[in-house]
Amino acid sequence: MPVLVVGPRLEIVYVNPAAEQFFQSGSGPLLKQTLKDLIPFGSPVIQLVGQALERRASVGERHVDLSTPRHGEHVADVTVTPLLDPDGTVVMTLQERSLAQRIDRQLLARGAVRSMHGMAAVLAHEIKNPLAGIRGAAQLIEDALPPSERELTQLILSETDRIRGLIDRMESFGDTRSFPRAPVNIHEVLDRVRRVAETSFARTVSFIETFDPSLPRVLGDRDQLIQVFLNLVRNAADALPESGGEITLTTAYRHGVKFGAAVAGERLSLPLEVTVRDNGAGIPADLMPHIFDPFVTTKRGGSGLGLALVAKIINDHGGVIECDSVPRRTIFRILLPQAPTDSEENMNA
């Protein structure tokens, strides 16, 4: 747990190794800064320090946004405790949302995807065949009608095509076959997604890119990753206000993140982080625990399969996806495995 000791003038006088990792900086640079240098402008953390000193007791606040461009995206529970000596000094502990919570969310998403497998097979078998018969009968009837009386048969044809398309999308959940993985430049994927978005559904949206140019390649399938981020960017664009909409794409390297993955039972390191952030209205709190479940959607007329399919693809890659959302700030964070280097491949050969 990150721990800082803050002096009377809000100067940093001590940080533990967890705090160094949290703020992505060594103790030397951190000890030359003040608390205001480490937290976003207007953060309630300064008020917590004042309250702790005034009451001479521990105070805390949950889900404090500590995100800054320099230190990355962080939401944590903050506890401030005054020290007796020297006077005016406090100990601050930061409890970031735990890895266990990330795992719980991912397991829920995986469970929802697995529940679609059997449903997709049943629907494909029980609906597609009679649906083809309905469509064929409608075409035969249409052939016998004059063009002016074909409106209802056209409606039948379009609706059967729409239902078949929905079932086709659901069938993709039942596809458990392995797929070839290769090193993928995630920046090329994101650039392709941005260009597609800017020429179609996101013409009026401002895109901001904050990329780590030294990021290693991702181990995965390029086309599937394009599908993932195209879905996320489309959802972000749909949530934006009519003017002033922004979508921020970021990449970063995160050390020490490992998960038990669904790829041949291996335990994969997931150091490659990609985030899609928008300044839209946000996701309702009651839907947050279920956003990766099938048929859950905030869009009028939406199928609710987009994010469930995104969760499946990321799961198939052995990765993790999670979401944080408050009004004017929704972030989808994806952790992905790194492709082995040439030297590692030679050692395994």
Side-chain angles (χ1 to χ4, degrees):
M1 184 181 298
V3 176
L4 303 87
V5 177
V6 181
R9 294 180 297 277
L10 299 180
E11 71 274 18
I12 308 298
V13 297
Y14 169 79
V15 291
N16 70 346
E20 295 179 41
Q21 186 174 6
F22 184 90
F23 291 106
Q24 302 176 25
S25 180
S27 60
L30 289 174
L31 296 179
K32 297 177 182 179
Q33 301 182 63
T34 68
L35 185 59
K36 290 183 178 180
D37 297 324
L38 301 180
I39 61 176
F41 178 78
S43 172
V45 171
I46 302 299
Q47 294 178 333
L48 289 178
V49 173
Q51 291 172 6
L53 293 173
E54 181 181 352
R55 300 176 186 176
R56 296 187 178 276
S58 294
V59 297
E61 186 164 334
R62 299 187 63 189
H63 302 297
V64 178
D65 187 355
L66 299 176
S67 305
T68 65
R70 179 181 299 178
H71 304 124
E73 304 284 348
H74 294 288
V75 176
D77 300 340
V78 180
T79 303
V80 181
T81 304
L83 291 176
L84 296 178
D85 184 40
D87 189 41
T89 303
V90 299
V91 174
M92 180 179 301
T93 58
L94 310 175
Q95 187 170 9
E96 192 173 19
R97 195 180 60 184
S98 68
L99 198 60
Q101 288 174 298
R102 294 186 182 188
I103 294 173
D104 286 344
R105 282 195 178 187
Q106 187 64 15
L107 289 178
L108 287 173
R110 291 179 183 179
V113 167
R114 283 196 298 269
S115 70
M116 293 291 292
H117 292 176
M119 186 188 302
V122 170
L123 285 173
H125 182 268
E126 298 297 331
I127 296 180
K128 270 192 171 182
N129 288 338
L131 202 64
I134 293 171
R135 196 183 196 286
Q139 286 178 312
L140 290 174
I141 295 172
E142 185 178 59
D143 291 341
L145 294 175
S148 60
E149 297 180 9
R150 294 179 179 179
E151 181 180 353
L152 291 179
T153 55
Q154 286 295 320
L155 178 62
I156 295 172
L157 293 173
S158 63
E159 284 300 290
T160 53
D161 289 342
R162 184 182 64 82
I163 295 171
R164 184 181 178 88
L166 180 62
I167 295 173
D168 286 341
R169 291 186 66 192
M170 291 185 62
E171 274 193 290
S172 64
F173 288 93
D175 186 1
T176 58
R177 296 171 299 177
S178 61
F179 55 90
R181 294 173 176 82
V184 178
N185 185 331
I186 199 65
H187 295 143
E188 292 180 357
V189 169
L190 296 175
D191 182 65
R192 169 74 174 274
V193 169
R194 178 184 55 77
R195 286 190 284 113
V196 170
E198 287 179 331
T199 57
S200 54
F201 57 84
R203 291 188 181 92
T204 62
V205 175
S206 296
F207 280 85
I208 301 171
E209 296 177 343
T210 307
F211 292 163
D212 178 354
S214 63
L215 198 70
R217 293 178 182 267
V218 172
L219 182 63
D221 180 89
R222 181 177 181 273
D223 290 342
Q224 291 192 33
L225 291 173
I226 289 175
Q227 184 179 4
V228 163
F229 290 104
L230 200 56
N231 261 315
L232 293 177
V233 169
R234 184 185 296 275
N235 284 348
D238 290 343
L240 293 176
E242 292 184 4
S243 62
E246 291 182 351
I247 296 176
T248 302
L249 306 175
T250 67
T251 62
Y253 192 90
R254 304 296 185 204
H255 295 274
V257 181
K258 290 189 176 183
F259 279 85
V263 181
E266 299 175 357
R267 185 170 179 80
L268 291 181
S269 174
L270 304 178
L272 308 185
E273 179 185 87
V274 185
T275 65
V276 179
R277 173 175 175 169
D278 68 74
N279 62 340
I283 300 171
D286 59 330
L287 289 185
M288 277 298 295
H290 311 290
I291 59 171
F292 296 113
D293 292 351
F295 307 117
V296 174
T297 181
T298 59
K299 299 179 186 178
R300 179 176 296 179
S303 66
L305 294 177
L307 286 180
L309 185 57
V310 164
K312 178 190 183 298
I313 294 174
I314 295 300
N315 174 48
D316 289 345
H317 279 72
V320 171
I321 182 170
E322 57 178 353
C323 177
D324 293 314
S325 183
V326 295
R328 308 290 296 176
R329 186 177 72 91
T330 296
I331 300 175
F332 282 89
R333 181 176 289 106
I334 297 95
L335 301 176
L336 292 166
Q338 174 182 340
T341 61
D342 293 339
S343 59
E344 290 173 334
E345 290 180 343
N346 292 334
M347 290 178 61
N348 294 330

